[in-house]
Amino acid sequence: DDFIPGTQVFFRLEIIHRLGRAIEYHDNETGLHIVRMSQYCEHLARVLEQPEEECEMLLHTAPMHDIGKVAISDAILLKPGPLDPAEFNIIKTHTTIGAAILAGHPSRLMEMAHDIALTHHEKWDGTGYPNALKGENIPIEGRIVAVCDVFDALTNDRPYKKRWTNEAAVTYLHKNRGTHFDPLLVDAFDTALPGILEIQKRFSEPALT
């Protein structure tokens, strides 16, 4: 059981959190993206009435979604503009690299982290990457992270863009309901939004100048 209290389990969780934070510092000065996003994921999972252990595990594994970016150069991660096709093909490999880093451990915790790293850029209509999975063939944790990751990325500054308003980001989720995102998750996100905005406020970061 991944959540039996004990020094070994807590040490494992702490390593996961710190690795996720280290990767986030590649393209985010504060590393707060993974804090917000992982809490968004847990909150959305609870709104979906997922089992308690799955909700808690999602909080701890979501920070590993971009671990594969350790192999991507800063020239691409920090590029202040759109990626060209060759660069985009390179950035897409962070999913399979992340999955390879996390593969092979028998615990459910690490299995979930692996699945999130591999599938958080898959799309509901099958046009995502790396494996063009479609619909419920995408693990639920990958679908949850997809929604929460995009919402947080849109509502915060990045080297290539300024932050969007919350209203514009929610409109984007609805516009892509049934194509990029699981329709039921977009509906659940609407229900979860008050809690999402509380988390956002608690872990906000200053706008870039």
Side-chain angles (χ1 to χ4, degrees), residues 5 27 36 45 49 66 69 94 102 157 173:
D27 59 352
R36 288 187 302 269
E49 299 183 343
D66 276 342
K69 285 183 177 179
H94 81 278
L102 296 166
D157 290 324
L173 296 183

Side-chain angles (χ1 to χ4, degrees), residues 22-116:
I23 297 307
E24 190 57 33
Y25 273 99
H26 265 291
D27 59 352
N28 181 313
E29 288 183 339
T30 67
L32 284 173
H33 166 64
I34 65 162
V35 177
R36 288 187 302 269
M37 192 273 293
S38 60
Q39 294 209 16
Y40 293 167
C41 290
E42 181 195 26
H43 181 59
L44 182 55
R46 293 188 186 282
V47 168
L48 290 165
E49 299 183 343
Q50 294 291 297
E52 172 66 26
E53 185 173 294
E54 294 290 301
C55 295
E56 185 176 353
M57 212 175 301
L58 190 53
L59 175 68
H60 296 301
T61 55
M64 302 297 283
H65 68 297
D66 276 342
I67 188 68
K69 285 183 177 179
V70 68
I72 308 299
S73 73
D74 285 350
I76 293 176
L77 290 178
L78 302 178
K79 184 178 179 179
L83 300 179
D84 65 34
E87 291 167 335
F88 186 59
N89 283 334
I90 292 171
I91 199 73
K92 288 195 294 185
T93 65
H94 81 278
T95 54
T96 52
I97 292 169
I101 290 170
L102 296 166
H105 195 279
S107 74
R108 171 60 181 144
L109 187 76
M110 296 305 291
E111 287 178 353
M112 181 182 283
H114 166 275
D115 290 348
I116 286 171

Side-chain angles (χ1 to χ4, degrees), residues 123-128 132-135 138 178-181:
K123 295 183 178 182
W124 184 255
D125 65 0
T127 62
L133 299 180
K134 187 174 182 179
I138 307 167
T179 53
H180 188 160
F181 307 112

